[in-house]
Amino acid sequence: MSDIAIATASGIDARPPARALDYLLLLKPRVMSLVVFTGLVGMVMAPVAIHPVAAAAALLCIAVGAGASGALNMWFDADIDAVMDRTRDRPVPSGRVKAEDALATGIVLSGFSVAALGLFTNVLAAALLAATILFYAVVYTMLLKRATSQNIVIGGAAGAMPPVIGWAAVTGDVTLVPVVLFAIIFFWTPPHFWALALAKREEYARAGVPMLPVVAGIAPTIWQILAYTLILVPLGALPTVIGAAGLAYASVALGLGGLFVWRAVALMRVMDDSAARKREGLKLFAYSIVYLFALFATLLLERIVWSLSA
Amino acid sequence: MADPTNEEKARRQRNLLLAAALVGFAILFFVMTVVRLGGNVADRPL
């Protein structure tokens, strides 16, 4: 029996006290950094500009909205998080933040971020942010995550929305360019998460989360990773095809994409070796993060160079 | 006076975080109001 269980049984609240930092951890700051970055690129790619202070405020709203959905996810998934090594030290499963406090934090921050984005920019951006939070918290976390191996495929739509919201905050509409940015992140998400799930398969199985490697097995997952990667590589170069980026970006996108395919093929070679598969899975997971950051950073840099030389 | 317990220290930290968030939010709204009004205040009919 754990200390907390013993103390609870004897009527004493033995939970370690929540620090301010625990409330910040509820917002999943690492996920927020990717959201802020891709949202910023969505804004910079727009053909018009807004006041820099308004742009910074809009980015803050998008970041807080993403953090709010992270808090709602931690509230609902505390039972799963407590079983997995990777997540058991999160504020709710570790007992440092009460589940109801995480829920309240998520609801309050969702309301504030959506209302503020609507007031600072426009109704479309606010509506997209609200839909994204609801999609992540309700459709992905509550309905899909424990029900289907396609959980992160469909749920990935929420993570792909920040550039669309960023674009909408600046322009007030949604056109082909933000849809292409959405598609890149959408098709990047399955190989990113399945690479992690390959390495953490036993943990997901113990937690009862039907990730693809748990439900379908190793080989089908690796084939799916390769299939999504082969779709992702040309998609990565699509901004150049539609005129939103230049040849420099396309070269970098194809080079980074080639490395992505190489890493996916490396996984196929170690399909039957458990230890090597975990190692290669983690390598692909780490590389996928570098890939997305580098791809969007190149878009951003090229746009800055274009505006300086115009 | 007795030293504050861990729970009291944590509560104080949380309260400070909440206060900072509320003050930040108020400042953000003030700044955004100024930005959105821009030069329109000076141009308004008197």
Side-chain angles (χ1 to χ4, degrees):
Chain A
M1 207 174 182
S2 71
D3 291 348
I4 291 176
I6 292 166
T8 306
S10 59
I12 303 164
D13 191 349
R15 272 188 296 250
R19 302 159 298 165
L21 177 66
D22 291 321
Y23 282 86
L24 295 178
L25 291 175
L26 263 187
L27 310 184
K28 298 192 176 179
R30 274 190 293 186
V31 176
M32 273 169 84
S33 67
L34 196 62
V35 165
V36 167
F37 187 56
T38 56
L40 170 70
V41 173
M43 285 180 157
V44 173
M45 296 292 286
V48 290
I50 54 173
H51 194 287
V53 175
L59 265 185
L60 181 67
C61 292
I62 296 171
V64 172
S69 55
L72 293 172
N73 172 274
M74 284 205 204
W75 158 70
F76 193 80
D77 275 351
D79 56 335
I80 293 177
D81 288 348
V83 180
M84 297 182 64
D85 293 339
R86 193 172 71 89
T87 52
R88 68 163 47 118
D89 195 42
R90 283 179 172 174
V92 179
S94 66
R96 299 195 303 276
V97 171
K98 291 180 196 162
E100 56 265 35
D101 288 348
L103 174 63
T105 304
I107 292 173
V108 169
L109 291 182
S110 297
F112 268 102
S113 59
V114 170
L117 187 62
L119 289 168
F120 296 164
T121 61
N122 56 66
V123 174
L124 176 65
L128 289 172
L129 181 62
T132 304
I133 295 170
L134 276 175
F135 191 84
Y136 184 77
V138 178
V139 178
Y140 169 69
T141 303
M142 295 180 191
L143 301 177
L144 295 175
K145 187 170 175 180
R146 298 164 195 243
T148 168
S149 62
Q150 295 301 302
N151 47 15
I152 51 100
V153 177
I154 308 164
M161 282 300 286
V164 184
I165 302 170
W167 175 285
V170 175
T171 63
D173 63 12
V174 175
T175 59
L176 185 60
V177 178
V179 172
V180 167
L181 298 180
F182 171 92
I184 291 171
I185 304 177
F186 184 79
F187 280 93
W188 165 86
T189 305
H192 168 71
F193 274 113
W194 286 336
L196 177 70
L198 274 177
K200 306 281 179 186
R201 181 169 174 250
E202 291 77 16
E203 280 191 44
Y204 278 113
R206 202 167 59 230
V209 182
M211 294 299 281
L212 195 62
V214 177
V215 176
I218 303 296
T221 303
I222 295 177
W223 277 109
Q224 291 269 334
I225 287 176
L226 188 63
Y228 273 92
T229 306
L230 290 173
I231 297 171
L232 176 64
V233 175
L235 259 181
L238 202 53
T240 299
V241 178
I242 62 169
L247 285 174
Y249 165 78
S251 311
V252 173
L254 291 174
L256 289 168
L259 281 175
F260 210 134
V261 174
W262 179 66
R263 283 246 160 263
V265 170
L267 252 180
M268 302 203 79
R269 286 204 299 265
V270 294
M271 207 179 273
D272 300 322
D273 180 344
S274 172
R277 190 181 64 236
K278 283 181 182 173
R279 197 173 57 240
E280 289 299 326
L282 286 176
K283 277 185 189 171
L284 180 63
F285 175 71
Y287 177 72
S288 66
I289 297 169
V290 173
Y291 170 86
L292 198 68
F293 261 112
L295 201 69
F296 276 71
T298 310
L299 269 179
L300 188 65
L301 273 174
E302 197 181 59
R303 213 22 100 103
I304 292 169
V305 171
W306 282 7
S307 62
L308 288 177
S309 58
Chain B
M1 202 169 89
D3 286 341
T5 62
N6 278 347
E7 176 61 38
E8 284 165 344
K9 274 188 205 164
R11 193 180 302 132
R12 186 175 145 76
Q13 250 192 29
R14 286 202 301 272
N15 290 344
L16 284 173
L17 180 74
L18 194 60
L22 285 171
V23 169
F25 201 68
I27 292 172
L28 185 65
F29 263 80
F30 174 75
V31 171
M32 279 306 299
T33 305
V34 172
V35 166
R36 286 177 75 90
L37 285 174
N40 295 330
V41 176
D43 292 341
R44 75 191 189 283
L46 295 172

